[in-house]
Amino acid sequence: MAGNVIEFRHISKSYDETQVLKQIDFEIEAGKFYTLLGPSGCGKTTILRMIAGFLQPTAGDILFEGQRVNDLPANRRQVNTVFQDYALFPHLNVAQNVAFGLEIKKVAKGQIAQKVEEALRLVQLSGYGNREISELSGGQKQRVAIARAIANEPKVLLLDEPLSALDHKLRKEMQSELRSLQRRLGITFIFVTHDQEEALAMSDQIFVMNAGKILQSGTPVDIYDEPINHFVADFIGESNIIPGKMKADYVVSFDGHEFDCVDAGMKQNEPVEVVIRPEDLDITAANTGQVNVTVDTQLFRGVDYQITAHDVNDNEWKINSIHKTTVGQLVGLAFDPEDIHVMRYGEDEATFDARLERYE
Amino acid sequence: MKSKTAYLTPYFLWIALFVIAPMALILYQSFFSITGHFTFGNYEQYLSSGVYLKMTVNSIWYAFIITVLALLVSYPTAYLINHLKNKQLWLLLIILPTWINLLLKTYAFIGLFSQNGSINDFLRFVGLGSHQILFTDASFIFVATYIEIPFMILPIFNALDELNPSLVNASRDLGASAWQTFRRVIFPLTMPGVKAGVQAVFIPSLSLFMITRLIGGNRVITLGTAIEEHFLVTQNWGMGSTIGVILILAMFVVMFLTRDRKNKGGQIR
Amino acid sequence: MKRDHPIRWSNLYLLLVFIVLYLPIIYLIIYSFNAGDTMDRITGFSWRHYLTLFADTRMISIVLNTVIIAVLSALLATIIGTFGALGIDQLKKRSLQNGILSLNNVLMVSPDVIIGASFLIFFTFLGVKLGFGSVLLSHIAFSVPIVVLMVLPKIKDMSQTMIDAAYDLGATKWQTLTRVILPAITPGIFAGYFMAFTYSLDDFAVTFFVTGNGFSTLSVEIYSRARQGIDLEVNALSTLMFLVSLLLVGGYYLLNRYNEKKKIHRAKASQEVDDA
């Protein structure tokens, strides 16, 4: 397993009575951009702090390049962190902040200056070395925090919701910058966020977490198109989730009708949930689509209209459409078999992956 | 774990030697007579002789007057300074006199108040004739109040300074007059500052002894004067300690009365 | 226009307060140049009392004693108090922290006479000879809690992630302390030292109890001289002390203003770079 830089084996963490991590297992390959995604309190930051060395697991092993590092203190691990509040040292200027880790390692003076310059150049802050931290804007502090971490040339860079304090525009900018920085440096990034859009935009691999467990891991496209369960479908993007029944392989029934789909490997008449993304629904004239719905609300969002509607069974539908409609109007909804994704209740990730493997 | 105790060693040693030991010793000493025998006599004497009780009541009364006067002068001063343009500079000017040694300021008043001093010159000039000012109760109260005023202004100023100005605007916006705003919003919110000021003034006023000697001319005897007298003049440490214990009790009462009631939840500040 | 009135009254009130606050000090200063020997009547201008002061070796040695005690006691109290505050912050249990802080504050709220009297009993009990040593120990003792109270909020304000960041970047515990924690709380440490220094300079009551016969500080000396009546040499001394205080305060204020201006200026400059 030469490609794995970090491995978690059966990691649990408890504080007194409460278990914050339950039997976590995962492998992190070198050179990729990973995102731990989940709502606050799901345990994602706990995992990050364990990798950094600020927390020890209650049970299980943390492996760094194949070596068990459970008891290695933070200051001796080859990982660096970009903290949520940046945690820049206010008594040092920009260059001194970036040089901190190198000075601790007793790198030669000339080399330090060169590495600091290089790190600042990478985050587009060349020439800011003599600035005081208090003189920087939020975005600049962010960049200094990144420069300080990468100056140490860590094997893994940990980012703890680093963009959460920035405004929308700056956040978008930093997302693409971080992504290209990771590609250029070629080191592993582990990024923690609760923002699904951010996760989808930046990552090679996403771990979706909830309540101390990793629910699903995969590429952004996999997770978006084939969420494992209700929580993931709901948390990642917008979705219509309707209860249904699996009639046979590739046939599912919901809303009183049977539809063709692309899912298989389930029991006959197994109760399931069906996911259809709002942007996959097309609005047609009444009775010409697969379902008829009555429009309840309509919001213009610039690129499209966000429409909510209900069908005769009182299921609520969200539709994103570039065409305008009228509130109170009866319209048809059209979708293709590929737009339907069927989820089983309580299926774990291993079974889910195995099932998909069989028929894809 | 080891470094944690190493950090604290000198500090804990300080607490043990200079906080706990002296307080314990003063309590211990209060049970000994002037001849060195264990006795409850000091407390008996304190409670039965009218002299000590009267002195205690007097001392509390004076401290009360000094505190009230200081508060009456300080609150408007702090309030007005808080509205000035360079308020930090003005505050600094209030604090500046506290940097002058207490004894020097007291000493100045000896000159000002003396029979031929400037105050009497002024009184004669306006035709009021000269008066005995030095060595009166009034002069003692005046000088003590003078000394304590900056210590009252400072916490009140800080409380006013921390007050969010939009609260005042909100109150005015809701129809309160300037006076109503003061009474219902500003004063209640600066109460912690007033309490801190009262604490900072009342307790020291109970125990001032050099001002009673230099300005009060031994006419005013406070608890502080009595303690000094017993320790350094009559060498009756037992009785001095007994009065000390009384003073400590008085201190706890004041602290209890001026405690911050909102801070029950065990917060540090 | 109507608003002008109350403001003028309030200015008058403030003026009065300031006059009363500074009257004794100005009075002392004026009479320090009196050719005569009393604070009753100015008989002419003279440097006489300053010359007496500079020739008074006893007074000068007492001033030196006072300064030495202040510098040393503030230094030692700052060291003990800073490490004490760091230690208190490390304690996990909130109740234990609060308990220690209560003990810490005992000397802050105790009246001077109580501190003086109890220290006198303490030193006598241990057989410590009264003099320089007992005065120094007492001054350290009553300065420690001030330092703790000045430093502890700075420690509490310090973000935990900053310390994590230091470890994360490879610093050991010691390096984190010396390179991150101590610099971050330096303003608190300086403020603590400064307060301890002024407390020591200003103290009369505690020193009066524990000083014994041979050793004297300025406050005690002025007290004994004042009990004997007016001595304009004391006026000369107070004038000099006032000037020193004024210089210190003025310098401190200007330095603060300068730093703040510089900060604002540079912050503006970087803002402009951002916008460009």
Side-chain angles (χ1 to χ4, degrees):
Chain A
M1 293 287 238
N4 289 344
V5 57
I6 291 169
E7 216 174 303
F8 267 41
R9 286 192 185 157
H10 314 305
I11 294 287
S12 303
K13 177 72 185 176
S14 310
Y15 293 105
D16 299 329
E17 302 286 276
T18 46
Q19 202 176 15
V20 290
L21 288 183
K22 298 163 190 165
Q23 288 282 328
I24 298 283
D25 283 279
F26 63 76
E27 288 154 10
I28 300 275
E29 287 174 39
K32 282 191 175 175
F33 197 122
Y34 285 86
T35 298
L36 297 173
L37 173 67
S40 58
C42 70
K44 55 192 193 297
T45 299
T46 308
I47 289 180
L48 205 69
R49 291 177 66 80
M50 274 184 189
I51 299 174
F54 298 125
L55 285 178
Q56 274 68 47
T58 315
D61 291 327
I62 301 172
L63 271 60
F64 188 84
E65 295 186 325
Q67 302 287 315
R68 186 177 179 274
V69 292
N70 286 31
D71 306 315
L72 198 67
N75 53 350
R76 290 174 50 206
R77 294 194 187 187
Q78 283 174 298
V79 295
N80 285 118
T81 309
V82 177
F83 292 88
Q84 185 171 10
D85 62 358
Y86 317 139
L88 298 173
F89 306 123
H91 59 289
L92 304 178
N93 68 20
V94 169
Q96 288 166 332
N97 261 284
V98 178
F100 188 91
L102 301 169
E103 279 175 7
I104 294 284
K105 280 193 208 137
K106 306 233 184 313
V107 176
K109 275 260 178 341
Q111 236 181 323
I112 290 181
Q114 190 195 332
K115 285 187 174 188
V116 167
E117 195 45 53
E118 169 70 10
L120 286 176
R121 194 182 55 75
L122 278 169
V123 297
Q124 304 180 17
L125 279 183
S126 296
Y128 278 68
N130 290 323
R131 293 290 180 90
E132 294 299 324
I133 298 304
S134 56
E135 298 169 19
L136 300 181
S137 69
Q140 291 169 335
K141 284 183 190 165
Q142 175 67 71
R143 290 160 196 263
V144 176
I146 294 167
R148 183 176 71 177
I150 61 175
N152 298 285
E153 294 162 5
K155 297 251 169 76
V156 178
L157 186 71
L158 308 175
L159 303 105
D160 184 7
E161 307 217 15
L163 308 183
S164 60
L166 304 179
D167 65 49
H168 184 76
K169 192 164 158 258
L170 203 53
R171 195 152 72 210
K172 290 273 175 207
E173 239 174 81
M174 284 307 292
Q175 283 174 12
S176 56
E177 257 185 61
L178 273 178
R179 181 72 237 214
S180 63
L181 186 68
Q182 188 268 333
R183 292 229 169 95
R184 245 180 302 157
L185 293 172
I187 61 175
T188 312
F189 276 32
I190 303 178
F191 188 92
V192 158
T193 184
H194 60 263
D195 183 337
Q196 44 97 10
E197 230 176 287
E198 207 163 86
L200 292 174
M202 299 167 78
S203 322
D204 290 319
Q205 288 281 319
I206 297 177
F207 293 161
V208 185
M209 292 190 65
N210 189 36
K213 278 185 182 159
I214 294 178
L215 299 179
Q216 189 172 12
S217 55
T219 65
V221 173
D222 283 350
I223 287 179
Y224 189 82
D225 287 346
E226 282 152 0
I228 185 169
N229 59 22
H230 191 116
F231 177 85
V232 177
D234 200 37
F235 194 73
I236 312 274
E238 293 169 295
S239 45
N240 295 296
I241 303 174
I242 307 127
K245 249 191 196 118
M246 205 63 196
K247 286 293 169 193
D249 281 358
Y250 309 114
V251 182
V252 63
S253 98
F254 62 90
D255 215 15
H257 301 279
E258 285 187 9
F259 298 94
D260 288 340
C261 67
V262 294
D263 296 276
M266 285 161 263
K267 287 185 285 224
Q268 200 177 2
N269 284 329
E270 183 178 331
V272 292
E273 284 179 304
V274 173
V275 181
I276 305 176
R277 297 290 183 183
E279 66 273 16
D280 292 337
L281 292 168
D282 293 321
I283 291 184
T284 62
N287 302 320
T288 61
Q290 278 92 328
V291 185
N292 278 340
V293 295
T294 312
V295 176
D296 293 323
T297 64
Q298 176 171 257
L299 288 177
F300 181 56
R301 301 196 300 185
V303 281
D304 59 6
Y305 292 90
Q306 183 180 42
I307 297 158
T308 62
H310 66 273
D311 60 29
V312 282
N313 297 322
D314 258 351
N315 288 317
E316 203 174 307
W317 291 81
K318 284 178 256 178
I319 308 119
N320 295 345
S321 164
I322 51 169
H323 299 297
K324 201 175 167 179
T325 166
T326 317
V327 172
Q329 198 182 344
L330 190 75
V331 295
L333 295 179
F335 48 87
D336 299 326
E338 304 85 71
D339 297 332
I340 298 175
H341 169 67
V342 179
M343 304 184 300
R344 302 167 82 184
Y345 287 100
E347 190 174 38
D348 65 28
E349 202 185 353
T351 328
F352 175 79
D353 286 345
R355 182 166 61 79
L356 260 59
E357 201 76 11
R358 249 183 293 136
Y359 66 81
E360 260 181 2
Chain B
M1 286 295 137
K2 219 181 149 201
S3 67
K4 200 185 287 175
T5 39
Y7 266 10
L8 278 169
T9 311
Y11 182 71
F12 277 156
L13 211 61
W14 166 79
I15 287 190
L17 287 181
F18 289 98
V19 179
I20 297 170
M23 289 298 152
L25 279 172
I26 209 166
L27 186 66
Y28 172 82
Q29 189 77 47
S30 72
F31 292 109
F32 284 87
S33 70
I34 194 162
T35 50
H37 294 290
F38 181 84
T39 175
F40 288 102
N42 295 325
Y43 287 95
E44 269 168 41
Q45 199 190 343
Y46 176 85
L47 290 170
S48 60
S49 106
V51 182
Y52 286 113
L53 286 178
K54 194 170 164 238
M55 176 204 74
T56 308
V57 171
N58 258 337
S59 183
I60 291 171
W61 176 238
Y62 281 121
F64 176 75
I65 294 175
I66 292 164
T67 309
V68 169
L69 286 178
L71 180 61
L72 285 178
V73 175
S74 300
Y75 201 104
T77 310
Y79 184 84
L80 293 172
I81 288 177
N82 197 44
H83 280 82
L84 292 178
K85 216 168 144 204
N86 289 317
K87 55 182 174 181
Q88 293 299 337
L89 179 67
W90 288 104
L91 185 71
L92 212 57
L93 286 176
I94 293 280
I95 302 171
L96 186 63
T98 66
W99 283 20
I100 305 297
N101 197 303
L102 187 67
L103 267 297
L104 288 176
K105 285 179 288 187
T106 314
Y107 167 80
F109 278 106
I110 300 177
L112 272 166
F113 285 166
S114 66
Q115 201 68 48
N116 295 313
S118 304
I119 300 294
N120 269 323
D121 283 349
F122 178 74
L123 290 178
R124 274 193 293 271
F125 175 75
V126 295
L128 288 170
S130 69
H131 294 267
Q132 173 66 37
I133 306 174
L134 206 57
F135 308 141
T136 60
D137 293 3
S139 63
F140 164 71
I141 289 169
F142 183 89
V143 175
T145 308
Y146 169 86
I147 300 283
E148 300 293 356
I149 278 175
F151 300 105
M152 184 67 97
I153 292 180
L154 203 61
I156 296 175
F157 175 88
N158 286 336
L160 284 164
D161 200 32
E162 279 167 22
L163 187 73
N164 184 351
S166 25
L167 293 178
V168 176
N169 291 340
S171 165
R172 296 306 295 267
D173 181 71
L174 293 166
S177 68
W179 169 246
Q180 283 168 325
T181 301
F182 175 78
R183 204 170 57 85
R184 289 165 172 262
V185 178
I186 300 174
F187 191 71
L189 284 174
T190 51
M191 209 47 201
V194 172
K195 282 178 174 175
V198 168
Q199 247 181 42
V201 169
F202 191 85
I203 297 168
S205 299
L206 281 177
S207 59
L208 289 168
F209 71 88
M210 50 26 101
I211 298 179
T212 64
R213 290 240 189 275
L214 295 177
I215 304 285
N218 291 343
R219 280 175 44 88
V220 183
I221 306 281
T222 62
L223 290 171
T225 323
I227 293 171
E228 187 249 2
E229 178 111 4
H230 282 105
F231 269 91
L232 299 178
V233 183
T234 63
Q235 299 285 328
N236 185 355
W237 286 17
M239 193 64 216
S241 298
T242 303
I243 302 169
V245 171
I246 303 291
L247 186 50
I248 291 170
L249 289 178
M251 177 181 100
F252 281 128
V253 171
V254 173
M255 304 266 294
F256 179 77
L257 290 176
T258 55
R259 75 195 184 281
D260 208 348
R261 284 187 184 77
K262 278 179 207 147
N263 255 355
K264 274 182 207 148
Q267 266 179 323
I268 286 187
R269 290 178 71 188
Chain C
M1 284 298 110
K2 244 178 90 189
R3 288 192 50 136
D4 274 358
H5 260 289
I7 287 175
R8 240 185 287 148
W9 277 110
S10 67
N11 284 349
L12 203 67
Y13 176 79
L14 272 186
L15 189 71
L16 197 72
V17 170
F18 275 100
I19 286 177
V20 173
L21 227 42
Y22 281 88
L23 184 70
I25 297 160
I26 292 161
Y27 184 76
L28 280 183
I29 291 173
I30 291 171
Y31 275 95
S32 72
F33 299 106
N34 189 9
D37 274 328
T38 63
M39 278 206 267
D40 294 347
R41 189 155 292 104
I42 295 181
T43 55
F45 179 86
S46 149
W47 291 104
R48 198 159 67 84
H49 303 294
Y50 288 87
L51 295 176
T52 322
L53 175 67
F54 294 137
D56 187 345
T57 49
R58 177 181 157 80
M59 190 56 119
I60 286 170
S61 80
I62 284 170
V63 169
L64 281 179
N65 281 341
T66 311
V67 172
I68 289 169
I69 291 273
V71 168
L72 278 182
S73 70
L75 185 69
L76 290 166
T78 304
I79 293 169
I80 297 172
T82 301
F83 281 97
L86 286 170
I88 290 174
D89 185 62
Q90 296 268 306
L91 295 174
K92 291 252 159 57
K93 263 199 198 149
R94 205 55 192 255
S95 55
L96 190 62
Q97 276 196 18
N98 285 337
I100 291 177
L101 276 175
S102 307
L103 282 176
N104 182 71
N105 292 352
V106 165
L107 290 190
M108 291 297 296
V109 295
S110 293
D112 295 350
V113 260
I114 297 290
I115 300 175
S118 63
F119 283 7
L120 175 61
I121 303 174
F122 177 65
F123 289 131
T124 316
F125 195 77
L126 291 184
V128 175
K129 203 174 150 293
L130 297 183
F132 178 83
S134 62
V135 172
L136 182 65
L137 281 174
S138 306
H139 282 220
I140 293 169
F142 68 64
S143 300
V144 167
I146 312 157
V147 176
V148 171
L149 289 186
M150 300 303 262
V151 173
L152 199 58
K154 293 277 169 209
I155 298 176
K156 300 262 176 215
D157 277 357
M158 202 168 49
S159 82
Q160 179 59 42
T161 56
M162 207 177 70
I163 295 160
D164 284 350
Y167 289 133
D168 187 70
L169 295 166
T172 59
K173 275 198 160 170
W174 176 250
Q175 284 169 323
T176 305
L177 178 70
T178 54
R179 285 166 177 247
V180 176
I181 299 176
L182 286 181
I185 61 174
T186 301
I189 296 174
F190 275 128
Y193 181 87
F194 187 71
M195 290 296 284
F197 183 80
T198 49
Y199 266 56
S200 170
L201 275 189
D202 229 26
D203 178 68
F204 163 69
V206 176
T207 315
F208 191 62
F209 274 87
V210 298
T211 192
N213 285 324
F215 186 78
S216 187
T217 64
L218 203 54
S219 304
V220 175
E221 179 70 9
I222 295 167
Y223 179 72
S224 58
R225 289 196 185 196
R227 293 197 80 175
Q228 288 151 25
I230 304 292
D231 178 354
L232 292 190
E233 190 188 332
V234 175
N235 291 50
L237 181 68
S238 16
T239 306
L240 293 179
M241 286 175 64
F242 183 69
L243 279 179
V244 171
S245 310
L246 210 58
L247 282 177
L248 279 175
V249 174
Y252 176 81
Y253 180 76
L254 288 178
L255 197 76
N256 257 3
R257 283 259 305 233
Y258 173 75
N259 279 344
E260 244 158 58
K261 265 196 182 155
K262 200 173 75 178
K263 234 176 216 175
I264 291 166
H265 183 78
R266 296 187 63 169
K268 263 188 190 157
S270 77
Q271 191 75 47
E272 275 153 24
V273 171
D274 263 9
D275 295 343

